[in-house]
Amino acid sequence: MAQNKKQHFVPQLLLRNFSVPGNKKQINLYDRKNDKFIPNIEIKNQAQEKYYYGKDLAFENFLSSIESLASNIFKNIVSTDKLPLRFSKDHEDLLKFISLLHKRTKASVKEHESQLNSIFQTMLKYDEKIKNKDFENLRIAHPEPAAFNLAITISSWPLYLDLDACILKNTTTKPFLISDNPVIILNPLLMKRKKYWLLRGPINKGLVILLPISPEYYLLLYDDWAYSLNSKEEMIELTKPSDIFNINILQSIACDNILYSSDINASKYLKSLAKEGMKFKKDVIIKEELQHIYDSSRIAVRSYYLEHKMNLNFSFLKEKEQTRNYDYEQEKVIPRSPELLEVAEKIIADEKEFMRKASQNSTQT
């Protein structure tokens, strides 16, 4: 068991792709909290905590098997400039990896816990027996929050099956970066229409997911109902520095604290990106109490995470004409398809049942 004490929330297989030239064991980083650039640091000690997923190693072993499959997929993408065949096993394994990576980072765990507590605190203030308690200092927590976060979302990957995919190849002199929270979730379609509570919904129209693979490659998943690409090929060469800068800014905003780069001379660039990213990062849980749409005597609580309000332009991604005539006034969800909504409802029902059973192990602090 000792060899599995260090459990990574960002897989070493990804960090090694951003390692220093000639040494797959080391990487350069910028620590935003301490405003410090550290060159040639050991990858094995990065983005990890002791028994992060628990001492029984169940999740650690499961994630290792997924990572092994993903590692070969990424190698094939970089060597061939081609994606796995859609709906193939490699395609499904890739989606599983992305879905799990998005939910396993410390930033994601904190976001989920904060959102649960936001709803919890709002609901309890309407309970006559305890409404006078200090809810701001009353929180619910799970003894193994990372494992819990993964467990309730482990079956969510099919929600991405309908998304189209593309490889973005960086041909500029500025490399792509990676961070301690590498999966970028955005929705330019709904951001433009200020539907902030819907931005991170996995089944909503307009969803875009970006994942850094290496300093030269990014994976793009996108809703092809909402957007068109400037090429029909599955690999797009990015020649405009503005595209690279905008993607790196989004990585900086998503970052929890650490930015990584393969470039030992990137100290000033990383520091500048980190500061620029913090200008736009909101990183807040928004709580809204609304009148219930079916019963005016009841209150509905809407709680959502707002990462930022930036609506960046990309030369390779354009909104389609048909998006202008769509009715965006729905409040709860704007699904990409009725079938996807059915799948999501089934997953949510399963998650609620899991949370009900798991609540027996939760602690109150």
Side-chain angles (χ1 to χ4, degrees):
M1 184 182 290
Q3 64 181 352
N4 293 95
K5 281 185 179 180
K6 292 182 179 180
Q7 298 177 356
H8 293 79
F9 48 88
V10 178
Q12 294 182 79
L13 76 92
L14 271 183
L15 294 180
R16 280 194 288 267
N17 289 348
F18 291 82
S19 59
V20 299
N23 189 340
K24 287 288 185 180
K25 295 183 178 180
Q26 295 184 340
I27 198 168
N28 306 305
L29 70 80
Y30 175 74
D31 181 339
R32 183 167 59 193
K33 182 179 180 181
N34 296 303
D35 187 19
K36 190 175 182 180
F37 179 77
I38 306 176
N40 303 324
I41 196 164
E42 293 292 318
I43 287 175
K44 67 180 181 180
N45 296 323
Q46 295 306 304
Q48 57 83 24
E49 281 190 4
K50 183 179 178 180
Y51 298 124
Y52 183 66
Y53 305 107
K55 290 188 176 182
D56 66 5
L57 305 185
F59 268 110
E60 175 70 0
N61 293 335
F62 170 71
L63 291 170
S64 294
S65 65
I66 295 294
E67 289 170 13
S68 178
L69 296 170
S71 179
N72 291 327
I73 294 170
F74 290 139
K75 287 177 183 176
N76 288 335
I77 289 175
V78 171
S79 63
T80 66
D81 286 345
K82 292 186 179 297
L83 292 165
L85 187 65
R86 197 164 187 180
F87 305 122
S88 66
K89 184 180 183 300
D90 280 353
H91 178 228
E92 292 185 0
D93 289 338
L94 180 58
L95 295 182
K96 290 175 186 177
F97 175 85
I98 295 171
S99 177
L100 290 168
L101 176 58
H102 173 48
K103 293 299 183 181
R104 68 191 276 192
T105 63
K106 291 184 72 173
S108 180
V109 171
K110 287 188 292 185
E111 174 192 332
H112 186 241
E113 185 178 290
S114 296
Q115 193 161 358
L116 283 177
N117 277 282
S118 171
I119 297 171
F120 168 71
Q121 292 164 358
T122 303
M123 290 173 63
L124 286 189
K125 76 178 185 179
Y126 290 99
D127 190 312
E128 290 295 328
K129 297 178 182 179
I130 57 174
K131 68 179 183 180
N132 293 322
K133 287 188 177 291
D134 182 4
F135 297 110
E136 293 303 317
N137 294 314
L138 186 66
R139 295 182 64 82
I140 55 173
H142 195 278
E144 294 181 347
F148 178 72
N149 208 44
L150 282 175
I152 64 173
T153 57
I154 201 166
S155 300
S156 298
W157 66 269
L159 300 179
Y160 304 129
L161 273 169
D162 70 311
L163 295 176
D164 213 335
C166 180
I167 306 164
L168 302 177
K169 187 173 183 179
N170 182 357
T171 63
T172 75
T173 57
K174 287 292 184 184
F176 287 134
L177 311 175
I178 194 170
S179 76
D180 53 5
N181 188 39
V183 179
I184 297 170
I185 305 291
L186 64 155
N187 195 317
L189 179 81
L190 298 182
M191 178 72 80
K192 181 179 179 180
R193 291 153 180 88
K194 299 183 179 180
K195 304 291 183 180
Y196 302 126
W197 59 95
L198 298 174
L199 295 180
R200 295 172 76 81
I203 70 169
N204 287 328
K205 289 183 182 297
L207 181 67
V208 172
I209 300 174
L210 288 161
L211 173 68
I213 298 176
S214 77
E216 293 82 31
Y217 288 89
Y218 243 89
L219 180 65
L220 168 68
L221 303 178
Y222 67 99
D223 174 14
D224 62 355
W225 175 88
Y227 313 106
S228 60
L229 301 183
N230 64 358
S231 171
K232 294 183 179 180
E233 302 297 325
E234 63 180 9
M235 193 275 289
I236 296 178
E237 291 191 355
L238 301 185
T239 60
K240 294 187 176 182
S242 59
D243 285 329
I244 310 305
F245 180 79
N246 286 343
I247 291 173
N248 281 341
I249 277 291
L250 288 172
Q251 187 66 218
S252 174
I253 292 172
C255 165
D256 191 31
N257 185 47
I258 306 294
L259 282 170
Y260 298 100
S261 175
S262 60
D263 185 2
I264 198 167
N265 299 312
S267 175
K268 291 182 179 179
Y269 183 59
L270 291 177
K271 183 173 183 177
S272 173
L273 276 171
K275 288 186 174 181
E276 193 72 13
M278 286 303 294
K279 290 180 183 178
F280 299 101
K281 186 166 184 170
K282 301 294 183 183
D283 193 29
V284 293
I285 300 295
I286 306 295
K287 291 189 293 186
E288 297 174 348
E289 296 179 31
L290 310 170
Q291 183 175 312
H292 199 282
I293 59 175
Y294 300 120
D295 185 348
S296 60
S297 66
R298 296 169 62 192
I299 295 293
V301 178
R302 182 164 70 197
S303 175
Y304 60 94
Y305 175 70
L306 183 61
E307 187 174 47
H308 63 86
K309 288 187 176 181
M310 293 184 73
N311 197 16
L312 299 170
N313 293 317
F314 298 99
S315 68
F316 54 87
L317 190 73
K318 300 298 181 184
E319 192 175 306
K320 288 183 177 179
E321 183 71 26
Q322 64 192 23
T323 62
R324 300 179 185 180
N325 301 318
Y326 188 81
D327 178 13
Y328 296 94
E329 295 311 309
Q330 304 171 68
E331 289 292 317
K332 189 176 180 181
V333 67
I334 303 178
R336 294 191 294 278
S337 71
E339 295 78 15
L340 191 61
L341 180 58
E342 290 181 9
V343 173
E345 289 173 343
K346 175 63 168 60
I347 291 173
I348 291 171
D350 291 344
E351 289 176 358
K352 286 182 178 178
E353 178 61 17
F354 175 85
M355 290 178 69
R356 185 188 68 78
K357 292 178 180 179
S359 64
Q360 300 174 24
N361 299 320
S362 65
T363 59
Q364 188 168 299
T365 60

